[in-house]
Amino acid sequence: MNREEYMKSLSRRLKRLPKEDFEKAMAYYEEYFDDAGPENEQQAIEDLGTPEMAADQLIREFALENAKEPPASVKKGLSAVWVGVLAVFAVPVGVPLALAVVVLLLALVIVVGALIFSVWITAFALMVCSVPCILLSFYQMTVAFADGIGTLGAGLVSLGVGVWVVFGSMALSKWFLNVVTRMFGKLVGGKKREK
Amino acid sequence: MIFPMNAPMFDLLVLAIAAKEDAYGYQISQVVKTVASTKDSTLYPVLKRLQEQGFLSVYDQPFQGRNRRYYRITDSGREHYKMLAQEWSAYKASVDEIVKGEGQNE
Protein backbone atom coordinates (compact mmCIF):
# COMPACT_ATOMS: atom_id res chain seq x y z
CA MET A 1 0.00 0.00 0.00
CA ASN A 2 1.18 3.51 -0.74
CA ARG A 3 0.01 6.92 0.40
CA GLU A 4 -2.51 7.29 -2.39
CA GLU A 5 -4.11 3.94 -1.71
CA TYR A 6 -4.18 4.67 1.98
CA MET A 7 -5.98 7.98 1.46
CA LYS A 8 -8.41 6.44 -1.00
CA SER A 9 -9.30 3.66 1.40
CA LEU A 10 -9.74 6.15 4.23
CA SER A 11 -11.92 8.46 2.18
CA ARG A 12 -14.13 5.58 1.09
CA ARG A 13 -14.78 4.72 4.73
CA LEU A 14 -15.31 8.27 5.96
CA LYS A 15 -17.46 9.60 3.14
CA ARG A 16 -20.65 9.18 5.18
CA LEU A 17 -19.48 11.79 7.69
CA PRO A 18 -20.71 15.38 7.37
CA LYS A 19 -18.75 17.13 4.60
CA GLU A 20 -16.84 19.55 6.81
CA ASP A 21 -15.71 16.85 9.22
CA PHE A 22 -14.75 14.60 6.35
CA GLU A 23 -12.57 17.30 4.81
CA LYS A 24 -10.91 18.16 8.11
CA ALA A 25 -10.02 14.52 8.74
CA MET A 26 -8.64 14.04 5.24
CA ALA A 27 -6.60 17.24 5.56
CA TYR A 28 -5.12 15.95 8.82
CA TYR A 29 -3.92 12.76 7.17
CA GLU A 30 -2.60 14.60 4.11
CA GLU A 31 -0.62 16.85 6.42
CA TYR A 32 0.66 13.88 8.38
CA PHE A 33 2.02 12.31 5.21
CA ASP A 34 3.51 15.64 4.09
CA ASP A 35 5.27 16.08 7.41
CA ALA A 36 6.53 12.51 7.43
CA GLY A 37 8.05 13.13 3.99
CA PRO A 38 7.97 10.90 0.92
CA GLU A 39 11.04 8.96 2.11
CA ASN A 40 9.13 7.86 5.23
CA GLU A 41 5.90 7.00 3.46
CA GLN A 42 5.96 3.32 4.39
CA GLN A 43 6.92 4.09 7.99
CA ALA A 44 4.05 6.59 8.18
CA ILE A 45 1.55 4.00 6.95
CA GLU A 46 2.91 1.52 9.47
CA ASP A 47 2.68 4.11 12.30
CA LEU A 48 -0.80 5.30 11.42
CA GLY A 49 -2.31 1.84 11.49
CA THR A 50 -4.71 0.51 8.89
CA PRO A 51 -7.18 2.92 7.28
CA GLU A 52 -9.97 0.64 8.50
CA MET A 53 -8.89 1.10 12.10
CA ALA A 54 -8.38 4.84 11.68
CA ALA A 55 -11.84 5.27 10.16
CA ASP A 56 -13.52 3.07 12.78
CA GLN A 57 -12.04 5.07 15.64
CA LEU A 58 -13.12 8.34 14.11
CA ILE A 59 -16.63 7.14 13.38
CA ARG A 60 -17.02 5.90 16.95
CA GLU A 61 -15.92 9.30 18.22
CA PHE A 62 -18.55 10.97 16.03
CA ALA A 63 -21.26 8.63 17.24
CA LEU A 64 -20.42 9.48 20.86
CA GLU A 65 -20.53 13.18 20.11
CA ASN A 66 -23.82 12.97 18.24
CA ALA A 67 -25.34 11.07 21.12
CA LYS A 68 -24.71 13.99 23.45
CA GLU A 69 -27.03 16.56 21.91
CA PRO A 70 -30.40 16.44 20.15
CA PRO A 71 -30.27 17.06 16.39
CA ALA A 72 -30.84 20.61 15.11
CA SER A 73 -32.85 19.36 12.12
CA VAL A 74 -34.33 16.15 10.79
CA LYS A 75 -31.60 16.03 8.15
CA LYS A 76 -28.81 16.28 10.72
CA GLY A 77 -30.60 13.69 12.83
CA LEU A 78 -30.68 11.27 9.91
CA SER A 79 -26.98 11.75 9.31
CA ALA A 80 -26.31 11.16 13.00
CA VAL A 81 -28.26 7.91 12.94
CA TRP A 82 -26.35 6.79 9.87
CA VAL A 83 -23.02 7.49 11.58
CA GLY A 84 -24.38 5.61 14.60
CA VAL A 85 -25.12 2.54 12.48
CA LEU A 86 -21.60 2.67 11.03
CA ALA A 87 -20.16 3.07 14.52
CA VAL A 88 -21.97 0.02 15.83
CA PHE A 89 -20.47 -2.03 13.04
CA ALA A 90 -17.07 -0.50 13.82
CA VAL A 91 -17.04 -1.75 17.42
CA PRO A 92 -14.42 -4.46 17.84
CA VAL A 93 -16.42 -7.24 19.53
CA GLY A 94 -17.25 -10.87 19.07
CA VAL A 95 -19.15 -10.99 15.82
CA PRO A 96 -22.14 -13.38 16.03
CA LEU A 97 -23.82 -12.09 19.20
CA ALA A 98 -23.10 -8.44 18.42
CA LEU A 99 -24.48 -8.90 14.94
CA ALA A 100 -27.68 -10.42 16.32
CA VAL A 101 -28.13 -7.50 18.72
CA VAL A 102 -27.44 -4.98 16.01
CA VAL A 103 -29.82 -6.60 13.55
CA LEU A 104 -32.53 -6.74 16.20
CA LEU A 105 -32.04 -3.09 17.06
CA LEU A 106 -32.00 -2.12 13.42
CA ALA A 107 -35.26 -3.97 12.86
CA LEU A 108 -36.79 -2.03 15.73
CA VAL A 109 -35.49 1.23 14.34
CA ILE A 110 -36.87 0.44 10.91
CA VAL A 111 -40.31 -0.47 12.28
CA VAL A 112 -40.64 2.72 14.33
CA GLY A 113 -39.11 4.71 11.48
CA ALA A 114 -41.72 3.29 9.09
CA LEU A 115 -44.51 4.25 11.49
CA ILE A 116 -43.25 7.80 11.67
CA PHE A 117 -42.85 7.84 7.91
CA SER A 118 -46.50 6.82 7.52
CA VAL A 119 -47.51 9.78 9.70
CA TRP A 120 -45.54 12.02 7.35
CA ILE A 121 -47.33 10.53 4.36
CA THR A 122 -50.70 11.05 6.04
CA ALA A 123 -49.94 14.71 6.64
CA PHE A 124 -48.77 15.09 3.08
CA ALA A 125 -51.86 13.39 1.67
CA LEU A 126 -54.15 15.58 3.75
CA MET A 127 -52.48 18.71 2.48
CA VAL A 128 -52.43 17.58 -1.14
CA CYS A 129 -56.11 16.62 -1.04
CA SER A 130 -57.14 19.94 0.40
CA VAL A 131 -55.88 21.90 -2.61
CA PRO A 132 -58.32 20.62 -5.30
CA CYS A 133 -61.02 20.52 -2.65
CA ILE A 134 -60.66 24.24 -1.95
CA LEU A 135 -60.36 25.14 -5.64
CA LEU A 136 -63.37 23.06 -6.56
CA SER A 137 -65.47 24.64 -3.85
CA PHE A 138 -65.34 28.05 -5.54
CA TYR A 139 -66.86 26.61 -8.72
CA GLN A 140 -69.36 24.66 -6.66
CA MET A 141 -70.46 27.83 -4.86
CA THR A 142 -71.72 29.28 -8.15
CA VAL A 143 -73.88 26.18 -8.68
CA ALA A 144 -75.05 25.40 -5.16
CA PHE A 145 -73.78 27.88 -2.60
CA ALA A 146 -74.32 25.78 0.54
CA ASP A 147 -72.62 22.73 -0.98
CA GLY A 148 -69.72 24.92 -2.08
CA ILE A 149 -69.27 26.34 1.43
CA GLY A 150 -69.37 22.80 2.76
CA THR A 151 -66.61 21.64 0.39
CA LEU A 152 -64.53 24.71 1.19
CA GLY A 153 -64.85 23.90 4.87
CA ALA A 154 -63.78 20.30 4.33
CA GLY A 155 -60.78 21.47 2.31
CA LEU A 156 -59.68 23.93 4.98
CA VAL A 157 -60.06 21.37 7.75
CA SER A 158 -57.94 18.94 5.76
CA LEU A 159 -55.28 21.61 5.18
CA GLY A 160 -55.30 22.64 8.83
CA VAL A 161 -55.01 19.13 10.16
CA GLY A 162 -52.33 18.40 7.54
CA VAL A 163 -50.16 21.34 8.67
CA TRP A 164 -50.67 20.36 12.26
CA VAL A 165 -49.65 16.75 11.62
CA VAL A 166 -46.57 17.93 9.69
CA PHE A 167 -45.34 19.82 12.73
CA GLY A 168 -46.19 16.87 14.90
CA SER A 169 -44.29 14.43 12.73
CA MET A 170 -41.33 16.82 12.53
CA ALA A 171 -41.07 16.86 16.32
CA LEU A 172 -41.64 13.12 16.46
CA SER A 173 -38.89 12.47 13.91
CA LYS A 174 -36.37 14.64 15.73
CA TRP A 175 -37.16 12.95 19.01
CA PHE A 176 -36.88 9.50 17.51
CA LEU A 177 -33.61 10.24 15.70
CA ASN A 178 -32.19 11.58 18.94
CA VAL A 179 -33.22 8.47 20.86
CA VAL A 180 -31.72 6.19 18.22
CA THR A 181 -28.47 8.18 18.07
CA ARG A 182 -28.17 8.02 21.84
CA MET A 183 -28.84 4.32 21.85
CA PHE A 184 -26.06 3.74 19.33
CA GLY A 185 -23.81 6.06 21.32
CA LYS A 186 -24.33 3.95 24.41
CA LEU A 187 -23.80 0.79 22.47
CA VAL A 188 -20.49 2.13 21.20
CA GLY A 189 -19.31 2.89 24.71
CA GLY A 190 -20.61 6.30 25.78
CA LYS A 191 -20.53 5.37 29.44
CA LYS A 192 -16.78 5.29 29.62
CA ARG A 193 -16.48 8.91 28.54
CA GLU A 194 -18.68 10.43 31.23
CA LYS A 195 -16.80 11.82 34.17
CA MET B 1 5.17 0.12 26.38
CA ILE B 2 3.07 -2.71 27.71
CA PHE B 3 0.81 -0.43 29.75
CA PRO B 4 -2.34 0.60 27.94
CA MET B 5 -3.19 4.20 27.12
CA ASN B 6 -6.59 5.65 27.91
CA ALA B 7 -8.44 8.83 27.03
CA PRO B 8 -7.33 10.95 30.04
CA MET B 9 -3.74 9.88 29.49
CA PHE B 10 -3.85 10.98 25.85
CA ASP B 11 -5.43 14.26 26.91
CA LEU B 12 -2.69 14.83 29.47
CA LEU B 13 0.14 14.12 27.05
CA VAL B 14 -1.28 16.24 24.24
CA LEU B 15 -2.07 19.17 26.53
CA ALA B 16 1.41 18.94 28.06
CA ILE B 17 3.01 19.10 24.62
CA ALA B 18 0.82 22.01 23.51
CA ALA B 19 1.45 23.83 26.80
CA LYS B 20 5.15 24.00 26.00
CA GLU B 21 4.68 25.44 22.54
CA ASP B 22 2.14 25.41 19.71
CA ALA B 23 2.53 22.12 17.90
CA TYR B 24 1.33 20.43 14.69
CA GLY B 25 -0.17 16.99 14.32
CA TYR B 26 2.84 15.02 13.14
CA GLN B 27 5.04 16.62 15.79
CA ILE B 28 2.61 15.67 18.57
CA SER B 29 2.32 12.10 17.35
CA GLN B 30 6.12 11.75 17.34
CA VAL B 31 6.25 12.68 21.03
CA VAL B 32 3.25 10.60 22.06
CA LYS B 33 4.73 7.63 20.21
CA THR B 34 7.64 7.47 22.65
CA VAL B 35 5.32 6.27 25.43
CA ALA B 36 2.30 4.85 23.62
CA SER B 37 2.11 1.57 21.78
CA THR B 38 -1.03 2.74 19.96
CA LYS B 39 -1.13 3.67 16.30
CA ASP B 40 -0.82 7.33 15.34
CA SER B 41 -4.35 7.38 13.95
CA THR B 42 -5.61 7.33 17.52
CA LEU B 43 -4.39 10.88 17.94
CA TYR B 44 -6.72 12.57 15.48
CA PRO B 45 -9.94 11.83 17.40
CA VAL B 46 -8.17 13.00 20.57
CA LEU B 47 -7.17 16.32 19.00
CA LYS B 48 -10.65 16.76 17.60
CA ARG B 49 -12.26 16.13 20.98
CA LEU B 50 -9.91 18.50 22.80
CA GLN B 51 -10.80 21.20 20.28
CA GLU B 52 -14.49 20.63 20.76
CA GLN B 53 -14.12 20.83 24.52
CA GLY B 54 -12.39 24.17 24.07
CA PHE B 55 -9.02 22.98 25.46
CA LEU B 56 -7.18 23.49 22.17
CA SER B 57 -7.57 26.07 19.43
CA VAL B 58 -6.20 25.69 15.91
CA TYR B 59 -4.70 27.97 13.31
CA ASP B 60 -3.09 27.34 9.94
CA GLN B 61 0.37 28.44 8.97
CA PRO B 62 1.95 28.09 5.55
CA PHE B 63 4.95 25.79 5.50
CA GLN B 64 6.90 24.99 2.32
CA GLY B 65 3.99 25.85 0.07
CA ARG B 66 1.39 23.93 2.01
CA ASN B 67 -0.57 24.34 5.18
CA ARG B 68 0.28 23.20 8.62
CA ARG B 69 -2.40 23.15 11.28
CA TYR B 70 -1.05 24.21 14.66
CA TYR B 71 -2.68 23.39 17.97
CA ARG B 72 -2.53 25.95 20.75
CA ILE B 73 -3.61 25.39 24.33
CA THR B 74 -6.39 27.64 25.66
CA ASP B 75 -6.81 28.99 29.19
CA SER B 76 -9.37 26.33 30.07
CA GLY B 77 -7.01 23.84 28.46
CA ARG B 78 -4.26 24.88 30.84
CA GLU B 79 -6.60 24.43 33.77
CA HIS B 80 -7.61 20.99 32.57
CA TYR B 81 -3.94 20.16 32.04
CA LYS B 82 -3.13 21.19 35.62
CA MET B 83 -5.94 19.05 36.95
CA LEU B 84 -4.86 16.02 34.91
CA ALA B 85 -1.22 16.50 35.90
CA GLN B 86 -2.17 16.49 39.58
CA GLU B 87 -4.28 13.39 39.13
CA TRP B 88 -1.38 11.71 37.39
CA SER B 89 1.16 12.51 40.13
CA ALA B 90 -1.20 11.24 42.80
CA TYR B 91 -1.78 8.06 40.82
CA LYS B 92 1.90 7.60 40.10
CA ALA B 93 2.79 8.09 43.77
CA SER B 94 0.27 5.48 44.89
CA VAL B 95 1.45 2.98 42.32
CA ASP B 96 5.09 3.61 43.23
CA GLU B 97 4.32 3.06 46.86
CA ILE B 98 2.94 -0.39 46.15
CA VAL B 99 5.61 -1.30 43.62
CA LYS B 100 8.57 -0.15 45.70
CA GLY B 101 7.07 -1.42 48.96
CA GLU B 102 6.86 -4.92 47.54
CA GLY B 103 10.43 -4.64 46.33
CA GLN B 104 11.68 -4.03 49.89
CA ASN B 105 9.95 -7.11 51.23
CA GLU B 106 11.99 -9.48 49.15
Side-chain angles (χ1 to χ4, degrees), chain A residues 143-175:
Chain A
V143 183
F145 189 69
D147 287 355
I149 290 285
T151 313
L152 180 64
L156 288 177
V157 165
S158 167
L159 185 66
V161 172
V163 168
W164 189 68
V165 177
V166 163
F167 278 106
S169 46
M170 208 125 80
L172 198 63
S173 304
K174 269 194 209 168
W175 168 81

Side-chain angles (χ1 to χ4, degrees), chain A residues 6 21 24-26 28-37 40 43-50 53-54 57-58 61-62 65 68 193 195, chain B residues 7 24-27 29-30 33 38-49 51-53 55 60 63 66-71 80 83:
Chain A
Y6 191 96
D21 296 308
K24 270 195 206 159
M26 294 305 283
Y28 180 88
Y29 281 89
E30 291 287 2
E31 193 193 302
Y32 184 99
F33 274 115
D34 282 340
D35 279 324
N40 296 322
Q43 184 62 44
I45 287 169
E46 165 69 20
D47 287 349
L48 280 172
T50 64
M53 189 207 78
Q57 271 181 344
L58 201 52
E61 185 64 33
F62 268 101
E65 236 166 65
K68 272 188 218 144
R193 186 59 50 74
K195 280 180 207 156
Chain B
Y24 54 91
Y26 187 72
Q27 182 189 356
S29 46
Q30 293 311 301
K33 203 198 306 268
T38 49
K39 294 290 181 187
D40 286 0
S41 280
T42 313
L43 202 59
Y44 180 67
V46 174
L47 289 169
K48 189 174 134 20
R49 183 161 42 77
Q51 271 176 74
E52 247 133 47
Q53 291 171 326
F55 295 149
D60 288 338
F63 173 80
R66 59 186 175 84
N67 248 346
R68 240 185 202 163
R69 178 149 286 189
Y70 279 82
Y71 298 84
H80 191 63
M83 189 277 286

Side-chain angles (χ1 to χ4, degrees), chain A residues 120-187:
Chain A
W120 272 102
I121 292 289
T122 308
F124 188 66
L126 276 171
M127 285 171 73
V128 167
C129 285
S130 73
V131 174
C133 204
I134 290 168
L135 290 178
L136 199 72
S137 73
F138 290 111
Y139 166 73
Q140 213 181 2
M141 268 187 256
T142 64
V143 183
F145 189 69
D147 287 355
I149 290 285
T151 313
L152 180 64
L156 288 177
V157 165
S158 167
L159 185 66
V161 172
V163 168
W164 189 68
V165 177
V166 163
F167 278 106
S169 46
M170 208 125 80
L172 198 63
S173 304
K174 269 194 209 168
W175 168 81
F176 178 64
L177 293 175
N178 187 24
V179 167
V180 172
T181 313
R182 258 198 219 151
M183 183 180 79
F184 284 139
K186 246 186 216 145
L187 215 58

